Amino acid sequence: MDRRLVSRRSVLGTSAAAIGGAIATPGAAATPASETSATVPQGDLILHNGKIRTFDDHDRTVSAVAVAQGRIVGAGLSLGRLKQSVSRDAKVIDLRGHTVIPGMIEPHVHFVSLAIRPGYHVVIENAGNIAGIQRLLAARRRGVPEGRFVTAMGGWHPNLFAERRLPTLAELDAAVPDRPVLLFQGFTGPAVTNTPGKAVLESAAVPSVVGADGSIAAGANATAALYNVRLTQTFEDRKRSTLDAMAYAASVGITSVQDHVGFPVLGPPTPGQFLSNFDHYRMYDSWLALHREDRTFIRLQTNFLHNQNDLDLPELTQRLNNQFQLFGDDLMMTGGIGEWGAPGDGSGPVWAKAQQLIAQAGWRNTNRALSLAALEAEIAGYEAVNAQHDITGLRWRIDHVPVVTTALLDRLQALGGAVQCGAFSFVSGSGPAAGAPFRTILDHGIKAGIHLDGVHIAPLNPWYGVYYAVTGRNALGGLVNDGQQITRDEAVRLYTRENAWFLNMEDRLGTIENGKLGDLVVLDRDYRTTGDEDLKRIKPILTTVGGKIVHDSGDLTRH
């Protein structure tokens, strides 16, 4: 595996551009350091008296585990022996019977887009109903400067709320009467605002038409509103939003993400840009700044999407010639190419040439298939590439896969390939076979994982994905993926052990065993025994990254 690990200070000093998207020359690379020295954060911690699901080769459940200097030691040993493995000032926490799993990994997500959301952003995907949204907005309002927007953008859908609709202007006024509010759904709206927001948006240089009920139609009206909020965002705002995104991820049990960019544009925002449009060279700046300051606490791997429909593929060519993949440290590193290297989903000469260039450079590669025809075209394209450049060891994959056949899986497996099962049909999928076909894929034996594809069209919370994979039911309770249900252990294993492979980090993440990084999640209820409907309501009460506590509900530590 081509992994170039360097110290944090080195990668963010001489080679910061390697992660940020600008061109970095190989000569600027720092001297590689050991994996241990590149592992941050590091903490000493003991968890005991619980049900710790290791997902190791023996699928053990043990009662105690320790983390020393950021790595797991002594899983399954007695408390007395574990205390000998850690420092004297290590935290010792009684789990009181709670279940622990490895840190969850989201390998196909647009997380950096969430990290740079404009306004004082709040995630409302778990609100449950309009009253829940009002509570979250009111809580977010505290400390928001006068005239600044409180926002909730992307990732949520009315199907997630009991009323199956957006809040009204009056309901938003009741929650936040004295600051403008903007709720924005999906890529291009619709959106809704309150009375102060209506006044701001209707009088802006690029105005939006706002209904009496606060509604803003999808399309140009909604993107104009988004544009006006984006104009108010400073770099310090982006840093704050990035920390908020990390905190939310930790609160739902996600400790590592693989970002897949969006639809890239260059330069400052314009009125017609979608929520998924942003400058793909500057989008990492706030994360990089926080990383330099030792303030990042969720692991980020950055895939690179290229959207040029140009046979010369100038941008992709420069990326492959002048950047390292898998370069950085265990908290922030570059990834491979994905969600795609060129548009086409398996068709056209530009897409085919992009695959050739990626293979020739020896890079990991990701495409997405939204139909059986696209899946077949992409596998055929991979086979054509493999006839010239051996890709069998490069971990080429195809994501989403709503439909598969065993013959196609056989062909992809023969190439060393893998599939990522999309669970975003949970939001609004319709049956009887909304996909992904989890049972078919797992029974086949091809390397597989699971993702929700948040934070534009779907939530980030992985427990919605677990619920969908286990029950086959969507957010409305409809059975839309019958016959493809998998077990609870299989679903959680996909989100942990199996997803680590897609980051080329299976030697460090995904299981609870000696030598792995100390990323652990303590759950408020046991996913094995809780009711089906409660699967999507599971909440972590403690999350650690490298043994450092990054989310704490207080349920354990206050005792």
Side-chain angles (χ1 to χ4, degrees):
M1 177 170 53
D2 180 18
R3 182 182 299 121
R4 301 173 184 263
L5 287 172
V6 299
S7 70
R8 294 187 69 198
R9 296 299 179 188
S10 295
V11 76
L12 293 169
T14 59
S15 300
I19 294 177
I23 301 304
T25 61
T31 301
S34 69
E35 290 187 15
T36 300
S37 66
T39 301
V40 283
Q42 295 182 3
D44 281 21
L45 173 73
I46 293 176
L47 303 178
H48 69 102
N49 188 29
K51 293 176 288 189
I52 300 168
R53 305 271 158 71
T54 64
F55 291 99
D56 65 8
D57 289 344
H58 302 288
D59 205 22
R60 294 181 302 155
T61 297
V62 300
S63 62
V65 65
V67 180
Q69 294 185 320
R71 291 187 179 268
I72 295 168
V73 295
L77 297 181
S78 67
L79 178 59
R81 292 184 64 187
L82 288 177
K83 286 183 175 180
Q84 298 172 17
S85 304
V86 298
S87 63
R88 290 182 179 180
D89 59 352
K91 290 182 179 293
V92 180
I93 298 176
D94 186 342
L95 293 168
R96 295 187 291 130
H98 282 281
T99 297
V100 180
I101 62 171
M104 302 180 86
I105 301 164
E106 224 320 340
H108 185 124
V109 64
H110 305 276
F111 192 76
V112 179
S113 176
L114 175 64
I116 56 175
R117 289 285 198 265
Y120 284 74
H121 191 263
V122 59
V123 178
I124 62 172
E125 62 190 37
N126 305 311
N129 53 34
I130 301 296
I133 297 172
Q134 291 174 311
R135 286 191 294 271
L136 288 170
L137 295 174
R140 190 62 169 128
R141 154 65 184 84
R142 300 171 195 144
V144 174
E146 185 176 356
R148 300 298 300 277
F149 270 84
V150 178
T151 57
M153 297 183 174
W156 56 268
H157 187 282
N159 286 352
L160 299 175
F161 312 134
E163 296 85 354
R164 314 301 184 204
R165 62 172 175 82
L166 280 66
T168 64
L169 178 143
E171 289 166 336
L172 294 179
D173 280 350
V176 183
D178 60 348
R179 299 289 187 273
V181 173
L182 181 66
L183 273 58
F184 189 101
Q185 182 185 339
F187 291 137
T188 61
V192 63
T193 190
N194 64 348
T195 297
K198 179 176 167 70
V200 170
L201 296 173
E202 287 183 331
S203 62
V206 181
S208 296
V209 176
V210 182
D213 61 353
S215 61
I216 305 173
N221 267 323
T223 58
L226 171 63
Y227 166 73
N228 285 300
V229 181
R230 278 176 164 167
L231 289 181
T232 69
Q233 190 179 37
T234 67
F235 187 65
E236 288 302 312
D237 289 333
R238 283 195 169 204
K239 289 172 68 176
R240 169 180 46 77
S241 188
T242 299
L243 290 170
D244 288 345
M246 286 188 248
Y248 177 70
S251 77
V252 293
I254 292 176
T255 56
S256 300
V257 297
Q258 185 182 90
D259 188 80
H260 284 251
V261 199
F263 297 101
V265 294
L266 292 175
T270 60
Q273 289 177 359
F274 300 175
L275 186 62
S276 54
N277 289 141
F278 32 80
D279 189 325
H280 56 315
Y281 291 111
R282 302 264 61 93
M283 62 184 286
Y284 308 105
D285 286 355
S286 56
W287 201 298
L288 281 163
L290 292 166
H291 197 63
R292 292 187 190 99
E293 298 165 9
D294 293 322
R295 297 172 65 192
T296 51
F297 54 90
I298 294 297
R299 305 188 193 279
L300 171 69
Q301 188 177 106
T302 60
N303 267 14
F304 299 109
L305 179 148
H306 294 282
N307 208 40
Q308 290 182 316
N309 196 12
D310 177 344
L311 194 57
D312 290 333
L313 292 164
E315 189 179 87
L316 175 64
T317 300
Q318 290 299 310
R319 174 81 69 190
L320 298 172
N321 285 344
N322 294 286
Q323 189 154 31
F324 298 126
Q325 64 171 330
L326 302 172
F327 181 87
D329 62 43
D330 287 330
L331 263 186
M332 188 175 186
M333 69 167 65
T334 60
I337 299 299
E339 186 166 342
W340 56 72
D345 290 348
S347 65
V350 177
W351 182 89
K353 184 177 179 181
Q355 312 315 302
Q356 290 283 349
L357 291 175
I358 296 165
Q360 187 174 1
W363 275 54
R364 194 181 68 196
N365 188 26
T366 299
N367 282 279
R368 59 94 193 261
L370 298 173
S371 67
L372 190 61
L375 178 63
E376 185 164 16
E378 287 167 5
I379 293 173
Y382 286 10
E383 289 169 334
V385 168
N386 190 59
Q388 299 181 49
H389 308 283
D390 183 7
I391 66 170
T392 57
L394 298 182
R395 305 191 185 201
W396 283 30
R397 68 193 236 207
I398 299 176
D399 290 11
H400 301 348
V401 293
V403 188
V404 301
T405 67
T406 55
L408 288 175
L409 294 177
D410 286 343
R411 289 166 59 187
L412 183 58
Q413 188 178 45
L415 296 168
V419 292
Q420 262 292 326
C421 305
F424 47 79
S425 290
F426 163 75
V427 175
S428 57
S430 57
F438 298 99
R439 185 75 273 153
T440 297
I441 290 168
L442 265 63
D443 287 348
H444 178 273
I446 192 172
K447 178 63 70 174
I450 186 173
H451 67 279
L452 263 169
D453 198 15
V455 293
H456 298 125
I457 64 169
L460 182 66
N461 188 341
W463 296 101
Y464 288 137
V466 170
Y467 170 84
Y468 177 69
V470 168
T471 67
R473 296 187 179 276
N474 64 15
L476 300 176
L479 184 59
V480 298
N481 205 25
D482 196 20
Q484 295 297 336
Q485 297 94 334
I486 58 178
T487 70
R488 295 167 183 224
D489 275 338
E490 287 173 328
V492 176
R493 177 181 290 268
L494 288 177
Y495 258 119
T496 54
R497 177 176 178 134
E498 301 307 323
N499 274 352
W501 183 90
F502 292 86
L503 276 64
N504 293 70
M505 295 182 75
E506 70 272 19
D507 59 333
R508 285 165 284 168
L509 299 177
T511 62
I512 301 175
E513 54 187 323
N514 289 358
K516 294 290 183 76
L517 296 170
D519 298 2
L520 307 168
V521 180
V522 184
L523 305 178
D524 68 342
R525 66 198 81 185
D526 191 340
Y527 70 86
R528 281 182 173 175
T529 58
T530 195
D532 281 353
E533 290 305 304
D534 280 338
L535 280 172
K536 59 177 180 271
R537 301 186 183 103
I538 289 176
K539 296 178 181 178
I541 56 177
L542 194 78
T543 303
T544 74
V545 172
K548 292 282 190 179
I549 295 174
V550 296
H551 167 72
D552 184 2
S553 70
D555 290 55
L556 296 175
T557 54
R558 67 169 168 254
H559 290 276

